[in-house]
Amino acid sequence: MSLLSLTFIAPLAGYLLLAFSRARLGENASAAIGVGSVGVSALASALLALGFEQPREETLWTWMNVGDFNATFGLRLDGLSLTMLGVVTGVGFLIHVFASWYMRGEEGYARFFAYMNLFVASMVVLVLADNLALLYLGWEGVGMCSYLLIGFYYGTVANGNAAMKAFLVTRVGDVFLAIGLFLLLATFGTLDISELLARAPQRFASGDPLLTAAALLLLGGAVGKSAQLPLQTWLADAMAGPTPVSALIHAATMVTAGVYLIARMHGLFELAPAVLALVGNVGAVTLLIAGLCALVQTDIKRVLAYSTMSQIGYMFLALGAGAWSAAIFHLMTHAFFKALLFLTAGAVIVACHHEQDIRKMGGLRHRLPLEYACFLVGGLALCALPFVTAGFYSKDEILWSAWAAGNTHLVAAGLVGALLTSIYTFRLIFTVFHGDERLAAHAGSGAARVVPLAILLVLSTALGALIEPPLADVLPASPGEHGGTGRHLVEAMSAGFALAGIALAAWLFLGRRGFVERLAASATGRFLGRWWLNAFGFDALYDRLFVRPFRLLAREERRDGLDATLGLLPVVVRAANRAAVMPQTGRLRWYVASVALGAVALLAVALINLN
C-alpha cells in the first residue's frame, strides 16, 4: 500500500470499523479509531508533501470498461491536489481531535465519527481523482455525508428538514454536473482530466458553443456544492448539525469542492470566457449578499455560515478574474481561520450551556480568555488585518489580480465586501465578548479542546501565509503575477476598508448602541433587517416557484385518470376471487348438492346435444 492510497484508505477503514461495530464500542475506542484514522491520513499527506518533487499518478484498478470508455480508480498527485490534500486531512484531523472533546456524552458517538471518516475519505477521493468519473464518486460521497451529518440530531424535525434541504439543493447542481460530464464524454470520448485539458484547445476555438455549454454545466455543479448564487440557500440551515460538522463542511471539505472543480478544469473555462466572467460575477454578487445577511444574524453559527458563503464568493471572484493560484491560496488560509472560528464558536456554545443566540451573551472575555483570543485572531484574519494575518495576504492577492486583469467592478465588490466583513465580524466579537455579562459561562478543559485551537490560531496569523502552495506548474499565471502598477494602491484600499469596518463596528456595537437600536426600530431598518435576516427572500421565492407547484402537481396526480383506469384490473381480479371463494363453505351437504346439480346439468347438456 502506497502513501498516496493510504490517504483515503485509512479514513475509509475507520468508517468501516465504526459502522460495523453496531455501537458496541465505547467513546474512547470510537475516538481512537475515528481520530486515529484521519491522523494516519494526515501523516501520509505530510510525508507526501515533504517528498514532493514532480506530479505522479497511481492506478489502483480499472473501475469501468464499457466499449471505448475506460475509467480507472486512479489517483493523481500534483501541486493542486497536494494543496487540497493537506487542507482536507490536516485541518480535518484537527477538527476530529476537537470533536472527540465536543461530542463527549452525545448519543451516537461512534456513528458520528463513522460519518466524519467517510466524509474525509470521500473528499480525498474527490481531490486525488485523475478522471471526472471518480471525481464525481467523491462528489456524491461528500453530498451523502453532508446529509447524514447535518441531520445527525435526527430526533428534531427541523434538523431533518435542514439535512434534506442541503441534499436536494446540492442535487440540483449535481444533475447539471452529471449532464456536463456526459457532454464531455460524448465530445471527447474520455473523462480523463489530463486528456481533456490537452485535447480541448486542439479541437475547439475560444468561445465555442459546445465548450461554453459544458463549462456552464460544470459551473452549475460548482455553485451547488459551494453554496453560491442561486443555490446558496442550503448553507445557513446546515448549521443544524454539530459544530465540528459545520467546521468540516465550511473549512476543509464540501464548500471548497466547487472552487477545486473550476480550478482543476481551468483549461475548459479559459476556452469559455463568457462562463469564466460569469464565475467572477456570481462570486461578487454572492459575497455582497452574504455579507449583508451576516450583519443581522443572531445565531453565532449562522453569522459564520454567511461569512463562509461570502469568502467562497471571493474565491469565485478570483477564479473569474483568472487568478487561479490566488483562489486556492485563499482557500487554504480560509480553512485555517474559519476552522478556528467555528471550533471556537463550539467551545463558546458548550461553555454557555448550548446557547447560540448572541443577544443572550456578553462579557465573556473574562470567563473565556482562550476563546476570546482565538475569536480575535480568527476574526482579524477574516477581516484581513494588514501584514499580521494570513487572510490579508490571500485576499490582497485576489484584489490585486482582479485589478491587474482590468476587472474594476470585481475590485469594487471585493472592497465593499471587505468593509461588510469587518463590520459583521466585530459585531459578533463585541456582542459576545464585550459589554455586560449575561450568562454564567464555564470554560472547558482538556488537550483535545486546547491543542487544535492553538495550532489553528498560529496558522491564522501571518505564519500561515508562509505556506506556499506548489501551484506554479499546475495552474496558469495570475494577472499581475510578475508585477505592475497600482499594487500598493490596492493594498492600501484593502487595508483601509478593513480598518474602517472595524472602527465602524466599534462605534456601532461598543457602549450603549443607541444609534443601532434607533436604526433597527425605524421603518427602513425593520424592512432591511427582516429582508436580510431571511436571506433576501430566496427561500420564499423558491417555495413559490418550485415547492408549491410541485406539491400541487402531486395532489393532482392522486386523481390521475390513467391510474384510475389501470386500477380497474385489480378490482376485477379481486371481485372474481370473491365470487370463486363464495361456494367454499365447508359444509358437506352443500358439496353433495353441488355435485348432484353439476351431474344433472351435464346430463341435460348431453341430452340437448343428442336431440
Side-chain angles (χ1 to χ4, degrees), residues 419-558:
L419 178 68
L420 294 174
T421 300
S422 295
I423 296 174
Y424 69 67
T425 300
F426 275 85
R427 167 184 174 262
L428 176 62
I429 293 173
F430 292 146
T431 302
V432 172
F433 293 100
H434 290 259
D436 297 328
E437 188 174 320
R438 296 183 177 89
L439 285 174
H442 300 284
S445 60
R449 163 183 166 268
V450 175
V451 172
L453 296 181
I455 294 174
L456 290 169
L457 185 148
V458 173
L459 291 174
S460 298
T461 65
L463 295 176
L466 296 178
I467 303 174
E468 185 176 352
L471 302 172
D473 296 330
V474 186
L475 299 175
S478 300
E481 186 172 314
H482 302 294
T485 58
R487 175 148 197 164
H488 294 307
L489 174 62
V490 173
E491 290 177 349
M493 288 191 297
S494 175
F497 274 81
L499 294 173
I502 295 173
L504 185 58
W507 176 65
L508 292 172
F509 301 108
L510 281 178
R512 296 183 178 181
R513 307 180 187 179
F515 176 76
V516 174
E517 292 174 357
R518 290 193 300 271
L519 182 62
S522 66
T524 302
R526 288 197 303 271
F527 169 75
L528 291 177
R530 286 195 300 269
W531 196 30
W532 295 346
L533 186 65
N534 292 293
F536 284 78
F538 275 95
D539 281 323
L541 175 63
Y542 291 163
D543 182 66
R544 287 170 172 77
L545 287 179
F546 304 112
V547 178
R548 293 185 184 182
F550 177 80
R551 288 179 174 174
L552 177 63
L553 183 62
R555 285 195 297 269
E556 292 300 321
E557 285 298 309
R558 292 176 184 175

Side-chain angles (χ1 to χ4, degrees), residues 228-593:
Q228 296 294 285
L229 198 73
L231 299 178
Q232 82 286 5
T233 57
W234 66 270
L235 190 62
D237 291 341
M239 297 301 98
T243 304
V245 172
S246 304
L248 193 62
I249 290 176
H250 287 247
T253 55
M254 186 168 171
V255 296
T256 61
V259 179
Y260 171 76
L261 175 67
I262 296 176
R264 175 58 76 189
M265 303 304 296
H266 64 273
L268 295 183
F269 283 90
E270 287 182 323
L271 293 173
V275 179
L276 191 59
L278 181 61
V279 171
N281 292 327
V282 165
V285 174
T286 305
L287 75 89
L288 293 176
I289 288 178
L292 292 171
C293 292
L295 286 174
V296 297
Q297 301 302 313
T298 57
D299 186 298
I300 187 172
K301 289 172 64 177
R302 289 180 76 90
V303 176
L304 298 179
Y306 282 108
S307 166
T308 297
M309 196 184 300
S310 182
Q311 295 305 304
I312 298 294
Y314 272 105
M315 298 174 206
F316 270 65
L317 185 154
L319 295 171
W324 309 99
S325 298
I328 300 301
F329 185 36
H330 191 57
L331 185 155
M332 182 190 73
T333 61
H334 173 261
F336 299 153
F337 60 74
K338 188 51 61 70
L340 175 64
L341 288 170
F342 264 112
L343 296 186
T344 306
V348 170
I349 291 169
V350 170
C352 294
H353 314 288
H354 295 279
E355 179 59 65
Q356 296 183 201
D357 192 335
I358 62 175
R359 295 171 298 183
K360 298 179 181 179
M361 301 177 187
L364 295 180
R365 69 184 187 278
H366 301 299
R367 291 184 177 268
L368 305 175
L370 174 62
E371 285 79 356
Y372 179 56
C374 290
F375 241 107
L376 196 58
V377 172
L380 289 172
L382 177 59
C383 299
L385 186 72
F387 307 116
V388 295
T389 63
F392 168 74
Y393 295 95
S394 56
K395 190 176 290 186
D396 173 69
E397 194 66 34
I398 290 174
L399 295 176
W400 162 241
S401 297
W403 176 281
N407 295 305
T408 53
H409 67 292
L410 297 182
V411 176
L415 292 173
V416 174
L419 178 68
L420 294 174
T421 300
S422 295
I423 296 174
Y424 69 67
T425 300
F426 275 85
R427 167 184 174 262
L428 176 62
I429 293 173
F430 292 146
T431 302
V432 172
F433 293 100
H434 290 259
D436 297 328
E437 188 174 320
R438 296 183 177 89
L439 285 174
H442 300 284
S445 60
R449 163 183 166 268
V450 175
V451 172
L453 296 181
I455 294 174
L456 290 169
L457 185 148
V458 173
L459 291 174
S460 298
T461 65
L463 295 176
L466 296 178
I467 303 174
E468 185 176 352
L471 302 172
D473 296 330
V474 186
L475 299 175
S478 300
E481 186 172 314
H482 302 294
T485 58
R487 175 148 197 164
H488 294 307
L489 174 62
V490 173
E491 290 177 349
M493 288 191 297
S494 175
F497 274 81
L499 294 173
I502 295 173
L504 185 58
W507 176 65
L508 292 172
F509 301 108
L510 281 178
R512 296 183 178 181
R513 307 180 187 179
F515 176 76
V516 174
E517 292 174 357
R518 290 193 300 271
L519 182 62
S522 66
T524 302
R526 288 197 303 271
F527 169 75
L528 291 177
R530 286 195 300 269
W531 196 30
W532 295 346
L533 186 65
N534 292 293
F536 284 78
F538 275 95
D539 281 323
L541 175 63
Y542 291 163
D543 182 66
R544 287 170 172 77
L545 287 179
F546 304 112
V547 178
R548 293 185 184 182
F550 177 80
R551 288 179 174 174
L552 177 63
L553 183 62
R555 285 195 297 269
E556 292 300 321
E557 285 298 309
R558 292 176 184 175
R559 299 184 293 272
D560 183 67
L562 181 59
D563 284 346
T565 303
L566 294 175
L568 289 176
L569 180 60
V571 171
V572 172
V573 172
R574 284 194 296 267
N577 175 262
R578 286 194 296 269
V581 168
M582 284 177 63
Q584 309 303 316
T585 63
R587 296 176 180 177
L588 183 60
R589 292 180 180 180
W590 168 256
Y591 293 155
V592 172

